[in-house]
Amino acid sequence: MAEVDTVASDLIDFLNASPTAFHAVAEAKKRLKEAGFEHLSEREDWNLETGKKYFFTRNHSTIIAFAIGKRSPSGLYGYVAGNGCHVIGAHTDSPCLKLKPISKVVKGGYLEVGVQTYGGGLWHTWFDRDLTVAGRVMIKETKDGSVSYSQKLVRVNEPIMRIPTLAIHLDRGVSEGFKVNTHNHLLPVLATSIKAELQKLASVNGSLELEIDNDAKKTNANSIADNKKHHPILLQLLADQASCQPDEICDFELQLCDTQPSNIGGVLKEFIFSGRLDNLCMSFCSLKALIDSTSSGSSLDDEPGVRMVALFDHEEVGSNSAQGAGSPAMLDALSRILKAFSTSDSKLLEKAIQRSFLVSADMAHALHPNYMDKHEENHQPKLHGGLVIKHNANQRYATNAVTSLIFREIAENHNLPIQDFVVRNDMPCGSTIGPIIASGVGIRTVDVGAPQLSMHSIREMCAVDDVRHSYEHFKAYFEEFSQLDAKISVDV
């Protein structure tokens, strides 16, 4: 039980450090560096060596890490270009509310913040929560007459806003169904106008000064008092977080976040209660599996291929971005790895792809005890039941008989539980990065995920046991795929 608690506790730390995709990538970078992975830049040449470990980021919201094996197929020492790459792909983003380019809203005596919906969230769960903001800000820095721009991650820890529900006395029909108008109803309250006018924050010699707001007053054109896009008090909070002046903030990408921390709960301490389990849970398990499977000095000695984790942004909105799974980011990485070891064979990339394998890891739908009719009778994944292999005849998932066999064999070899999921015929099926990468790259793919409840809620839940099952399954996949794949014959 102690081992389960250790892995789950590590996940809790990862979740609490990752309110946004930017923060998740920053936490992943920190863990990879501590494990000896070298930071690469896509803008520079790559000098790679067998037995070494590397990572790079794209937009600081996608991160790809890989370790290069030492053994060739003939048993000789040294990686051979064209060998396969076994990958686990997941995503760093989750449904949320993101601030609009002009977020300043004043109405009814309140200061509100304009937000837009990102992904398919259960938006009614965002009401009556203690909310804050996090993300990145772009800072203009001037030193010795030279101007430069950089990003800084910010996170306001205290609750600063809330989306209040309407009292039942003013909406007697709410018990028949809480219907949210995402344009009119999803505006968080930041402050009241009268308080903002009387206690406007101004930074003077590092202290806060009370100042009466006067629109007719002459002020610096760059000061927060004249900003028409965002509330000055919000900009001041961000500037404090970024250790800069408000007028040095050029732009930002911010989202609302729940201030309640992730934790282990349930009377038997068997559940994880948290936001963003979809899909930071799979991101964490794959990342930890890669790190631990490559941590010992001899871990890559018998590995002929490349072990890789690719954590993409923008899965929740279709993956069509420069850093999404629909981009060439993963293919670019594989191509550059091959070129680092050989440039003589123009077909090396095609060979490597056919020897490669992708585990598309995205959380799965556990059976809900109060809505059991929503699951197909023979496919009802349970909490504590292990990873779920997802199937769909219409290719909403990329699993087939060959790819599921590989994943089942690993489970059987390690006595790990495994489950299957097929959506009901009368219900639409979701999808993942699996079909996107499989069709775009041509790589064999299996779609899997740990079972969870409350998917896309601001507060989700999964089982502690399944975190351990997922981590152990992924770690075994990294360590044993090459040997297992050599035993499978299909296109011969």
Side-chain angles (χ1 to χ4, degrees), residues 5-16:
D5 290 342
T6 299
V7 178
S9 295
D10 199 12
L11 170 61
I12 294 298
D13 291 340
F14 184 86
L15 290 166
N16 284 328

Side-chain angles (χ1 to χ4, degrees), residues 304-366:
V306 176
R307 301 174 186 175
M308 179 181 289
V309 163
L311 308 181
F312 298 100
D313 195 5
H314 294 147
E315 189 276 342
E316 297 293 355
V317 292
S319 297
N320 293 318
S321 69
Q323 55 274 5
S327 76
M330 192 186 88
L331 192 60
D332 288 347
L334 182 56
S335 178
R336 293 187 71 163
I337 292 169
L338 297 177
K339 288 179 181 179
F341 292 95
S342 175
T343 58
S344 60
D345 189 344
S346 62
K347 297 299 182 181
L348 276 178
L349 181 59
E350 290 86 345
K351 292 177 183 177
I353 289 171
Q354 294 309 311
R355 294 168 177 167
S356 297
F357 192 89
L358 169 69
V359 176
S360 167
D362 205 346
M363 298 294 278
H365 299 291

Side-chain angles (χ1 to χ4, degrees), residues 105-127:
V105 177
V106 181
K107 62 180 181 180
Y110 293 94
L111 304 188
E112 294 186 304
V113 179
V115 295
Q116 53 185 329
T117 57
Y118 175 85
L122 289 174
W123 304 123
H124 64 275
T125 65
W126 286 73
F127 284 74

Side-chain angles (χ1 to χ4, degrees), residues 258-274:
D258 192 358
T259 56
Q260 184 176 0
S262 306
N263 56 55
I264 296 175
V267 68
L268 300 177
K269 301 299 182 185
E270 62 180 304
F271 304 125
I272 291 176
F273 300 146
S274 173

Side-chain angles (χ1 to χ4, degrees), residues 137 139 152-154 156 203 224 232-249 252 254:
V137 296
I139 306 296
K152 289 189 178 180
L153 300 189
V154 296
V156 180
S203 179
I224 61 171
I233 53 174
L234 177 58
L235 286 177
Q236 183 63 62
L237 278 174
L238 298 175
D240 292 343
Q241 287 287 314
S243 300
C244 70
Q245 295 302 312
D247 60 3
E248 293 176 321
I249 298 177
F252 56 63
L254 298 175

